[in-house]
Amino acid sequence: MAIIKPMVRSNICLNAHPVGCAKETERQIEFVKAKKAERGIKGAKEGGNGPKFVLVLGCSTGYGLASRISAAFEYEADTIGVSFEKEPTEKKGGTPGWYNNMAFDRAAKKAGLISETFNADAFSHETRKLIIEEAKKLGRKFDLVVYSLASPVRSDPDKIDPNSADGNHILYKSVLKPIGKTYSGYGIDILTDSLKESAAEPATEDEIANTVKVMGGEDWELWINQLSEAGVLAEGCRTVAYSYIGPELSHAIYRDGSIGQAKKHLEATALNLNKKLSSELNGGAWVSVNKGLVTRSSAVIPIISLYLSILFKVMKAKGNHEGCIEQMERLFAERLYTGENSAAGVVPVDSENLIRVDDWEMQDDIQAEVDKIMPTVTNENIKELCDLDGYKHDFYATNGFDVEGVDYNIEIEDMTKIDF
């Protein structure tokens, strides 16, 4: 038995609270249920024309989890999810995603929905085969495939490492680095509520290439091609992957950095998949550019944590701040399923064929206000100019801490359970 407190090292939370993760997942579910009623959306059982059988790759946290929740609890879609999580033991905790998946599966099944979650390497052909077999066993075809994988590493499914004595596959590692020159700036130290300067060295050519292999569109295309060849994509099937562009001040580390090169590859892949799906199934493929939010990676990127804490304060004052679940609910209801009775309507895109649900973040007045505040922040005025409380809440809540309705002084007897 133990009282679980957050363990933070170098602005990364290393543990998770089982009950807190479950409560946060349930909060997102309740939000979507309320939006369903507010919008008057009919689910599948009520004769709605929205998604009915959805595959979410990277289903356990962030935008992937929020996508699965939106599909299931706004449109009553049956879902299959794939993520790779560390399983807990009675005494040792698992990853946040493990508990999120448990809470989602429990709520979905209680609602009478099919919910199958596979703890597996989504980059492998074996996992693709497993999902295809599951779809065929259920006699179903996917009408939406969400690609939301954000892994630091990817094992090449087709290439064996020549230097491996055990015949292991080549492993690619992604990096979040600038290209050409060092990038430095101030971020927020989560433990001291103060500014902390950090720097990122430029990526090598190999690091850039490896990052594209991990975070680009190659694996997404493999998934869609193999699902299509197996005959488990429905007529009109749509697929969406996620990206971020952000303000110019972050472009050197993100949009024009190693990750940005991967995201540009992802966007080019979307164009290819869109041609394929539109010609073969009258479907489509898009990349949705989403709002900047607190993630494990954003907390350690120079400038990003400071930018986000200011952005949150400005957007909350304007009344248009969103988290993961608000973003994905709006993506589904106002971008992907805008047709009659929530059918797949015409998707509004920009000149690059990108869906933009970062539109509120990137409004001129929002960005002008952030630009005005950024250079004036000091350790003396940081609490006044930044939304430190909101930023820290999001940082901790992604790991199940600082979640409303959870008594963090209660000892946890079994780390495999999501109830006290």
Side-chain angles (χ1 to χ4, degrees):
M1 293 176 63
I3 293 174
I4 311 300
K5 299 293 183 184
M7 296 167 49
V8 179
R9 304 281 186 278
S10 302
N11 266 15
I12 294 174
C13 190
L14 303 175
N15 62 339
H17 195 287
V19 181
C21 287
K23 285 280 188 187
E24 176 60 16
T25 300
E26 289 163 5
R27 180 196 68 79
Q28 294 186 47
I29 291 170
E30 290 308 310
F31 170 83
V32 163
K33 286 180 178 178
K35 291 298 288 187
K36 178 182 188 299
E38 180 187 314
R39 292 185 188 272
I41 289 174
K42 289 183 178 179
K45 296 174 186 175
E46 303 161 319
N49 295 325
K52 294 176 173 60
F53 190 48
V54 178
L55 173 62
V56 183
L57 303 165
C59 67
S60 61
T61 60
Y63 282 127
L65 175 63
S67 300
R68 195 179 188 191
I69 289 171
S70 296
F73 292 98
E74 193 151 23
Y75 299 90
E76 297 178 343
D78 296 323
T79 63
I80 289 181
V82 181
S83 65
F84 199 38
E85 305 298 330
K86 187 182 83 173
E87 185 174 354
T89 64
E90 187 176 319
K91 301 299 181 189
K92 194 169 183 180
T95 50
W98 179 273
Y99 300 119
N100 296 341
N101 286 339
M102 280 184 71
F104 176 88
D105 283 337
R106 181 174 69 180
K109 284 165 184 172
K110 186 178 178 181
L113 301 171
I114 292 172
S115 174
E116 300 292 343
T117 302
F118 291 86
N119 192 39
D121 177 8
F123 295 125
S124 75
H125 290 318
E126 290 75 16
T127 299
R128 281 185 270 275
K129 183 181 176 185
L130 189 67
I131 298 307
I132 288 165
E133 288 173 350
E134 185 65 19
K136 288 183 173 179
K137 186 174 81 176
L138 293 169
R140 304 287 295 277
K141 294 185 178 185
F142 298 110
D143 50 18
L144 175 66
V145 178
V146 174
Y147 190 87
S148 186
L149 293 177
S151 170
V153 296
R154 175 186 170 216
S155 178
D156 193 312
D158 297 312
K159 293 181 181 177
I160 301 297
D161 186 347
N163 300 315
S164 169
D166 299 322
N168 293 324
H169 289 251
I170 292 176
L171 195 68
Y172 305 111
K173 295 182 180 179
S174 67
V175 297
L176 212 162
K177 292 184 176 183
I179 294 173
K181 60 182 181 180
T182 300
Y183 181 83
S184 62
Y186 285 99
I188 292 173
D189 187 325
I190 210 84
L191 293 178
T192 63
D193 291 354
S194 63
L195 296 174
K196 181 180 181 181
E197 188 170 18
S198 61
E201 297 300 316
T204 65
E205 289 300 318
D206 281 347
E207 286 177 325
I208 296 167
N210 286 346
T211 301
V212 172
K213 277 285 188 181
V214 178
M215 301 291 288
E218 186 176 273
D219 183 67
W220 184 23
E221 192 162 25
L222 281 172
W223 268 101
I224 297 303
N225 286 341
Q226 290 187 30
L227 293 170
S228 177
E229 289 163 12
V232 293
L233 295 183
E235 179 71 16
C237 178
R238 296 183 156 193
T239 184
V240 62
Y242 299 136
S243 186
Y244 180 65
I245 292 178
E248 193 172 332
L249 67 89
S250 71
H251 283 189
I253 188 70
Y254 200 92
R255 187 65 182 174
D256 297 331
S258 56
I259 288 289
Q261 301 311 299
K263 293 300 185 181
K264 288 168 189 174
H265 185 275
L266 187 78
E267 290 156 19
T269 301
L271 296 176
N272 294 333
L273 291 177
N274 192 53
K275 289 176 186 174
K276 173 187 175 67
L277 290 176
S278 61
S279 65
E280 295 179 4
L281 294 168
N282 196 30
W286 296 270
V287 165
S288 174
V289 180
N290 303 335
K291 175 178 179 284
L293 294 172
V294 180
T295 64
R296 286 174 68 89
S297 60
S298 68
V300 296
I301 308 170
I303 289 183
I304 296 296
S305 58
L306 178 59
Y307 164 75
L308 289 176
S309 66
I310 297 169
L311 177 73
F312 290 4
K313 189 175 186 72
V314 171
M315 292 190 76
K316 285 176 182 178
K318 299 272 187 185
N320 62 0
H321 174 71
E322 294 175 307
C324 276
I325 194 62
E326 291 86 359
Q327 279 266 288
M328 292 301 95
E329 191 279 332
R330 186 158 68 95
L331 170 67
F332 275 63
E334 299 182 11
R335 300 293 191 273
L336 294 175
Y337 297 99
T338 58
E340 186 177 348
N341 197 16
S342 299
V346 175
V347 177
V349 293
D350 68 6
S351 60
E352 304 297 319
N353 207 48
L354 299 171
I355 299 172
R356 302 299 294 264
V357 284
D358 67 338
D359 49 347
W360 296 352
E361 172 186 355
M362 300 311 296
Q363 284 176 190
D364 290 344
D365 61 331
I366 298 284
Q367 287 300 312
E369 186 70 16
V370 173
D371 287 344
K372 186 172 137 188
I373 295 170
M374 278 285 290
T376 70
V377 178
T378 64
N379 282 329
E380 288 68 40
N381 64 20
I382 188 171
K383 291 183 179 178
E384 175 191 344
L385 298 181
C386 301
D387 180 21
L388 275 187
D389 289 342
Y391 181 88
K392 287 169 66 176
H393 167 76
D394 289 359
F395 175 86
Y396 286 114
T398 55
N399 285 59
F401 298 101
D402 197 34
V403 175
E404 189 176 347
V406 180
D407 185 345
Y408 290 99
N409 293 314
I410 292 179
E411 292 188 336
I412 303 294
E413 295 184 14
D414 186 348
M415 292 295 290
T416 68
K417 304 285 177 62
I418 54 176
D419 292 308
F420 284 128

